[in-house]
Amino acid sequence: MKHLQASAAAAASLLAAALLLSACGGQSAGDGASGGLGGTVVTDGSSTVEPLTNAAAHLFEGPEPGVDVVVTPTGTTAGFRAFCNGEIDISNASRPISDDEIAACEEAGVEFTEIVVANDGLSVILNPENDWATDLTLEQLATIWAPESEGAITNWNQVDPDFPDEPLVLFGAGSDSGTFDYFSNAINGEEGAIRADYSASEDDNKTIEGVAENVGGLGFLGLSYVEDSRGVVIAASVDGVSPSTESVQDGSYTPLSRPLFIYVNDASYAEKPQVKAFVDFYVENVLEVAERAHVVPLTDEQVATAQDELASLG
């Protein structure tokens, strides 16, 4: 931070101006510390997309150190609620926006643009001491996670008689998470159709911790968290296919692979120079952002789509 020599009166004047900008919620960008942009970019939503947007924010500090990018991981659904209320500039999402959410945005007068920024493979994670369930079938996963399994399937040998007599301890995303919506639909055929007797959290680190502490633990979350937790948990293959960059990009890790998105408030992009600069930077550097976040990058075709989506904002 550069320090300016100024009189007490001038300093007080600068402080008052700064407080005024803060009170306005960063609606306009002033000069940053380096004479560039200032102000705030407010994002919320998916914990799966959080590492991506955080990586973009850290990279963005280089050219624009005066901009504060706020990244809050309350879950995709919660993020869309705030977004459609006009409370945030960008919604991080691990699933597409729903019809009901589109209607809520329309009612509030919030126009938006969807931009695909990466790919993800939903991973089924195990304790490293689990040597019996390293390759699960979709049928076995449905047996474990079906709504009717609640209180009934509580031991690994109930999933498969060849599995040991070991308590089945379950962890995963909560109902405000896009991961919850996607996983329940992919495994049980309907969003929200899942047993309720598991430890649910929008904080994926709690899922990691729970599985790591229980030999019979099993959870579901995004691939990036597994990549960052090697040795702490392991990812099971599903019907013989392991989650990886290659299997997600080529579509062989199905049905548990998906695109990841940011949703940009069009008015924020048009009226806040710091939001425009950050979104432009995010998309222009989307492959490096994915690499920094240990997330599966876009294919060449998807990069072109993201660039087209960005161009539609201009």
Side-chain angles (χ1 to χ4, degrees):
M1 177 72 70
K2 294 181 180 178
H3 296 282
L4 300 178
Q5 293 182 340
S7 67
S13 177
L14 287 171
L15 177 59
L19 289 172
L20 178 60
L21 282 173
S22 176
C24 293
Q27 292 299 314
S28 61
D31 288 341
S34 65
L37 292 172
T40 302
V41 179
V42 183
T43 82
D44 195 351
S46 169
S47 60
T48 303
V49 182
E50 177 201 9
L52 274 163
T53 302
N54 261 327
H58 288 312
L59 287 170
F60 189 62
E61 286 177 358
E64 296 295 348
V67 176
D68 182 22
V69 180
V70 179
V71 187
T72 307
T74 60
T76 295
T77 300
F80 276 135
R81 278 198 296 269
F83 185 72
C84 292
N85 285 334
E87 299 169 7
I88 60 175
D89 302 306
I90 297 169
S91 187
N92 301 315
S94 59
R95 61 163 173 80
I97 191 169
S98 70
D99 290 342
D100 287 345
E101 289 159 344
I102 291 172
C105 280
E106 289 177 347
E107 184 176 350
V110 175
E111 297 183 355
F112 60 84
T113 298
E114 174 193 279
I115 302 177
V116 60
V117 290
N119 296 294
D120 185 37
L122 279 187
S123 301
V124 177
I125 61 169
L126 305 168
N127 186 285
E129 294 183 33
N130 184 325
D131 60 1
W132 62 86
T134 53
D135 182 25
L136 292 166
T137 66
L138 286 171
E139 183 178 359
Q140 287 171 330
L141 287 171
T143 297
I144 293 169
W145 289 103
E148 56 269 25
S149 297
E150 183 174 334
I153 305 298
T154 59
N155 197 291
W156 278 100
N157 62 14
Q158 294 175 284
V159 179
D160 188 311
D162 291 332
F163 290 165
D165 180 11
E166 181 72 42
L168 181 63
V169 190
L170 300 175
F171 303 86
S175 59
D176 268 347
S177 169
T179 297
F180 169 90
D181 295 333
Y182 194 93
F183 185 82
S184 57
N185 184 60
I187 299 302
N188 296 321
E190 182 182 348
E191 285 188 8
I194 198 168
R195 63 191 297 170
D197 58 340
Y198 73 98
S199 296
S201 175
E202 270 67 44
D203 183 352
D204 290 322
N205 291 305
K206 293 189 181 300
T207 297
I208 295 278
E209 292 167 6
V211 173
E213 292 169 0
N214 292 273
V215 174
L218 179 144
F220 62 92
L221 41 60
L223 178 58
S224 65
Y225 282 88
V226 182
E227 297 287 344
D228 289 340
S229 304
R230 289 188 179 278
V232 179
V233 295
I234 59 174
S237 57
V238 178
D239 283 337
V241 181
S242 298
S244 68
T245 296
E246 293 75 18
S247 64
V248 169
Q249 285 189 326
D250 67 20
S252 60
Y253 186 66
T254 184
L256 294 178
S257 57
R258 58 181 176 170
L260 301 175
F261 309 93
I262 59 172
Y263 285 78
V264 182
N265 182 308
D266 291 355
S268 291
Y269 185 88
E271 298 167 8
K272 301 180 184 180
Q274 72 272 30
V275 173
K276 181 182 187 305
F278 177 65
V279 172
D280 290 353
F281 180 90
Y282 200 149
V283 176
E284 289 163 6
N285 296 275
V286 71
L287 296 181
E288 184 178 358
V289 167
E291 181 180 358
R292 291 286 188 99
H294 301 155
V295 176
V296 179
L298 299 177
T299 63
D300 291 344
E301 182 179 355
Q302 288 175 314
V303 168
T305 297
Q307 292 170 342
D308 288 343
E309 289 163 343
L310 178 64
S312 72
L313 270 165

